Amino acid sequence: MGLPRLVCAFLLAACCCCPRVAGVPGEAEQPAPELVEVEVGSTALLKCGLSQSQGNLSHVDWFSVHKEKRTLIFRVRHGQGQSEPGEYEQRLSLQDRGATLALTQVTPQDERIFLCQGKRPRSQEYRIQLRVYKAPEEPNIQVNPLGIPVNSKEPEEVATCVGRNGYPIPQVIWYKNGRPLKEEKNRVHIQSSQTVESSGLYTLQSILKAQLVKEDKDAQFYCELNYRLPSGNHMKESREVTVPVFYPTEKVWLEVEPVGMLKEGDRVEIRCLADGNPPPHFSISKQNPSTREAEEETTNDNGVLVLEPARKEHSGRYECQGLDLDTMISLPSEPQELLVNYVSDVRVSPAAPEKQEGSSLTLTCEAESSQDLEFQWLREETGQVLERGPVLQLHDLKREAGGSYRCVASVPSIPGLNRTQLVKVAIFGPPWMAFKERKVWVKENMVLNLSCEASGHPRPTISWNVNGTASEQDQDPQRVLSTLNVLVTPELLETGVECTASNDLGKNTSVLFLELVNLTTLTPDSNTTTGLSTSTASPHTRANSTSTERKLPEPESQGVVIVAVIVCILVLAVLGAVLYFLYKKGKLPCGRSGKQEITLPPSRKSEFIVEVKSDKLPEEMGLLQGSSGDKRAPGDQGEKYIDLRH
């Protein structure tokens, strides 16, 4: 709490400890009464200080003294107590064999003198001063919401502190920034008042008035209540508050967010700030680079100029004006240069290059920027970095070199600031086909959607050898996709479908073979094209790396299984030849003496048959027949029986 608060608490304790003596008319130099301290709501034990002989305590009268008037409140006769009618009738009882009178539910009105008086052998009395205490509630502080101007001639109200329901009246102390405030003429004035509630408790209200200066704009004020309880001195503090302090503006300046280097696309906020309270009315202007005149910019409701997205045209000199509405004085800020970094006008030369196969090509990239630039070249289709620098050189051009290239111009010192330019390189040549041949599984009388894709320079056109509804769609300037809707007929199954792509430099053809779906022979894991309604070519697959076409690998089919079986047969034949050679050389003891009969029960030895079944398809089983060329009957399912009975 600090030394000042401890000193105040000590002084308060000294004042509260001073005994208060209430006299009785007609009595002089009465001894000081015994002091009994209790809190509101508790029980006060009033111990009679007469001689402790049983005779003195068997006949005692208890009185309360209020405003110099005695009132009989309790009688003790032969150790038995009886309350008198009145305010204490229900709250008094005897304890300690009649030596103590207990007063329950003590209230502030009970703070008075109580005395006990004996009758035998002669009249005696003993006085007790009852002190009552009640801690106040937490102090509530309310700051002046209107604020205080620094040019006020008299102290203005800073805040009001209220402490409710305490007894006796607590003492209030005001603090500013942790230091106690004292009355000071024309500077600090503390005005306090108290109210007695119906319960007899006090509510204290204290108003702090002061003259403040600009430096008090952040000052923390609070109030403290000091009070006493039977346990000693205590205090309670309010929360800290800050009062609005009004002072004129002396300086205006600009602030830009975000701080640091700005780039195109950023959200930039330009705001005015001032050291006055309340702040003045702001306006922001930008210098016209042509006329050198300041032109006012449009701000939002908060007076902030928002540039979103920022562009290089937003670069320039900005200034803020602050108009004090009280004095009507306008204060300008210092001009501030705003630079929005940019990269623009990225261009590649030549813009649309066309080259023959085997030739060379040089691409040059240029750009405008507010900072030093770095360049790099990327292949658009793969994202591969081909070159770092403004020049890309391509030698001995092949057809595959045709396509898109991207130049990236970036500012390394500002992450994220870059611009790109795409250039398409065309290599002269006849059309390339996306595929050479393709097998399509179909059903008869179905409407089939076929597609054929070709690329080349000049741009090829695609034609079909059958009638149907065809349409073309450009994939890029050198690639075209043609789609044909056609009805599957027996004639179409016989002839197949051809699409031909042609340009000024030649032509190329793709063939689509149509096969009827055979559910009994088509294996579920077959990789043959089985589209029943559409047939499309991958846009990235090339069937021609030069002007001579090459055939793409067909999807894996049953033929692969047949080839695997043939290879296995050849391996077995070689293995058999090796074993036979070893046998002839006598390396293998396989004479008849080495033969053993398979042991079986006598009843079944002659019935043992090994059944070998094949899961090969009928088409594959044809390759597994003997070398004699024997053919099985149509009903033969490929089963073989080896009779071991002989």
Side-chain angles (χ1 to χ4, degrees):
M1 244 4 100
L3 183 60
R5 299 190 195 183
L6 294 176
V7 173
C8 294
F10 178 78
L11 294 176
L12 177 64
C15 295
C16 294
C17 290
C18 297
R20 289 173 282 178
V21 181
V24 178
E27 298 181 2
E29 296 182 0
Q30 292 287 342
E34 179 187 355
L35 182 63
V36 175
E37 297 179 319
V38 295
E39 291 190 49
V40 171
S42 61
T43 298
L45 299 179
L46 308 177
K47 187 170 295 186
C48 187
L50 298 176
S51 173
Q52 295 299 310
S53 64
Q54 187 64 33
N56 288 345
L57 296 178
S58 64
H59 193 107
V60 175
D61 292 333
W62 283 90
F63 297 88
S64 71
V65 181
H66 183 56
K67 295 182 180 180
E68 302 181 356
K69 178 181 179 182
R70 289 189 181 191
T71 301
L72 180 63
I73 59 173
F74 199 84
R75 296 176 183 271
V76 179
R77 297 294 184 268
H78 306 292
Q80 300 296 322
Q82 177 65 43
S83 293
E84 292 294 315
E87 58 178 319
Y88 293 104
E89 183 176 0
Q90 304 297 326
R91 296 193 290 147
L92 296 175
S93 62
L94 279 181
Q95 292 184 8
D96 193 18
R97 296 183 300 174
T100 302
L101 182 65
L103 173 61
T104 61
Q105 297 297 319
V106 173
T107 67
Q109 291 84 352
D110 295 331
E111 185 170 274
R112 58 186 63 181
I113 290 179
F114 293 85
L115 63 86
C116 61
Q117 187 177 50
K119 295 298 183 181
R120 290 181 293 181
R122 65 182 186 273
S123 178
Q124 297 180 15
E125 65 181 29
Y126 186 80
R127 294 171 175 265
I128 302 171
Q129 175 67 60
L130 182 62
R131 297 286 189 200
V132 180
Y133 301 94
K134 169 68 169 62
E137 299 173 4
E138 294 289 335
N140 178 268
I141 187 170
Q142 296 295 330
V143 71
N144 178 8
L146 301 179
I148 299 176
V150 296
N151 54 7
S152 175
K153 302 301 182 182
E154 296 180 355
E156 298 282 344
E157 180 179 329
V158 175
T160 300
C161 180
V162 177
R164 301 183 181 278
N165 297 323
Y167 193 88
I169 302 171
Q171 181 184 7
V172 64
I173 301 176
W174 283 94
Y175 290 86
K176 183 180 81 170
N177 295 331
R179 295 178 176 274
L181 293 174
K182 298 180 179 180
E183 287 276 354
E184 186 177 346
K185 187 176 181 181
N186 297 327
R187 294 288 298 170
V188 178
H189 177 60
I190 300 174
Q191 179 181 338
S192 299
S193 61
Q194 55 273 347
T195 302
V196 181
E197 307 292 344
S198 59
S199 60
L201 302 177
Y202 290 103
T203 292
L204 173 70
Q205 176 177 281
S206 180
I207 300 175
L208 172 64
K209 295 182 178 181
Q211 266 193 335
L212 302 183
V213 295
K214 180 179 179 180
E215 290 70 25
D216 293 325
K217 60 185 178 65
D218 298 319
Q220 300 287 327
F221 295 89
Y222 67 92
C223 63
E224 176 186 278
L225 296 181
N226 288 305
Y227 58 94
R228 176 175 169 77
L229 296 178
S231 58
N233 296 318
H234 300 268
M235 65 89 176
K236 289 183 178 181
E237 295 176 339
S238 72
R239 60 185 177 90
E240 293 183 327
V241 296
T242 301
V243 63
V245 179
F246 302 128
Y247 44 90
T249 298
E250 297 177 358
K251 183 180 178 182
V252 177
W253 66 94
L254 277 174
E255 186 177 87
V256 179
E257 290 184 357
V259 178
M261 300 188 74
L262 307 176
K263 65 179 184 297
E264 282 192 314
D266 287 345
R267 174 187 169 90
V268 179
E269 293 186 358
I270 303 176
R271 58 169 50 88
C272 292
L273 298 175
D275 61 354
N277 189 31
H281 173 73
F282 294 119
S283 62
I284 300 176
S285 59
K286 178 177 181 284
Q287 186 183 67
N288 189 312
S290 301
T291 64
R292 298 292 181 179
E293 296 292 332
E295 298 177 355
E296 186 171 345
E297 298 286 328
T298 302
T299 60
N300 61 16
D301 294 339
N302 297 324
V304 178
L305 176 59
V306 179
L307 308 177
E308 185 181 21
R311 303 187 303 274
K312 66 178 181 179
E313 293 81 9
H314 291 140
S315 298
R317 174 171 290 195
Y318 289 82
E319 187 179 284
C320 177
Q321 292 282 340
L323 177 62
D324 193 320
L325 299 179
D326 290 333
T327 62
M328 298 307 293
I329 297 176
S330 181
L331 294 176
S333 69
E334 289 290 333
Q336 182 169 336
E337 287 288 341
L338 181 72
L339 175 60
V340 179
N341 293 283
Y342 65 92
V343 176
S344 65
D345 299 329
V346 182
R347 52 199 178 275
V348 175
S349 59
E354 297 178 322
K355 288 291 181 178
Q356 299 288 343
E357 283 191 278
S359 63
S360 298
L361 174 62
T362 300
L363 298 175
T364 304
C365 188
E366 297 177 311
E368 302 294 334
S369 177
S370 57
Q371 303 289 338
D372 293 336
L373 286 173
E374 286 187 356
F375 295 90
Q376 66 177 0
W377 289 91
L378 288 78
R379 179 70 173 183
E380 179 69 10
E381 288 78 8
T382 63
Q384 178 187 3
V385 177
L386 303 177
E387 186 66 57
R388 297 187 183 275
V391 178
L392 173 65
Q393 294 192 357
L394 303 174
H395 301 286
D396 191 18
L397 293 172
K398 305 295 184 184
R399 285 176 175 264
E400 291 81 0
S404 299
Y405 295 80
R406 185 175 295 277
C407 170
V408 180
S410 60
V411 176
S413 60
I414 306 178
L417 180 54
N418 61 72
R419 293 290 183 272
T420 68
Q421 179 62 45
L422 192 68
V423 60
K424 294 183 183 296
V425 176
I427 307 297
F428 287 102
W432 294 351
M433 306 305 294
F435 60 91
K436 180 63 178 176
E437 294 180 356
R438 170 165 292 182
K439 184 181 292 185
V440 182
W441 294 95
V442 299
K443 290 182 179 179
E444 195 170 354
N445 296 324
M446 70 177 291
V447 176
L448 191 61
N449 185 13
L450 301 175
S451 63
C452 182
E453 183 181 309
S455 62
H457 185 71
R459 174 193 178 279
T461 59
I462 297 178
S463 61
W464 299 84
N465 69 333
V466 296
N467 294 327
T469 304
S471 62
E472 286 189 1
Q473 181 179 2
D474 289 337
Q475 304 299 297
D476 59 43
Q478 301 172 29
R479 186 160 54 99
V480 62
L481 176 68
S482 179
T483 304
L484 176 70
N485 291 324
V486 65
L487 178 66
V488 178
T489 64
E491 294 78 7
L492 195 64
L493 290 171
E494 184 70 22
T495 62
V497 179
E498 290 185 0
C499 69
T500 302
S502 59
N503 63 8
D504 295 341
L505 301 179
K507 62 173 60 178
N508 226 326
T509 301
S510 289
V511 181
L512 292 93
F513 298 103
L514 306 184
E515 296 285 345
L516 286 176
V517 175
N518 187 344
L519 299 179
T520 62
T521 61
L522 188 63
T523 58
D525 60 346
S526 173
N527 290 328
T528 306
T529 304
T530 58
L532 298 183
S533 60
T534 62
S535 174
T536 59
S538 170
H540 302 294
T541 305
R542 289 288 179 265
N544 325 95
S545 60
T546 65
S547 59
T548 302
E549 297 182 1
R550 61 181 176 86
K551 182 178 178 181
L552 289 177
E554 284 289 330
E556 185 179 359
S557 64
Q558 295 178 356
V560 177
V561 178
I562 295 174
V563 172
V565 172
I566 293 174
V567 172
C568 291
I569 293 174
L570 293 175
V571 172
L572 290 175
V574 172
L575 180 61
V578 172
L579 293 175
Y580 180 76
F581 175 80
L582 295 175
Y583 171 74
K584 296 298 283 183
K585 292 293 184 178
K587 301 295 184 178
L588 295 176
C590 294
R592 296 184 56 85
S593 61
K595 295 181 181 178
Q596 295 182 359
E597 184 179 17
I598 299 175
T599 304
L600 290 174
S603 61
R604 298 189 59 191
K605 185 180 299 184
S606 62
E607 299 176 1
F608 184 76
I609 297 177
V610 177
E611 181 180 359
V612 180
K613 290 187 178 181
S614 172
D615 58 356
K616 304 296 182 185
L617 293 176
E619 294 86 340
E620 300 174 10
M621 291 303 300
L623 297 176
L624 302 179
Q625 297 175 355
S627 60
S628 62
D630 296 340
K631 298 184 180 293
R632 293 190 301 273
D636 189 354
Q637 299 299 316
E639 299 178 355
K640 289 283 185 179
Y641 295 89
I642 301 175
D643 191 352
L644 301 181
R645 289 176 292 183
H646 302 291

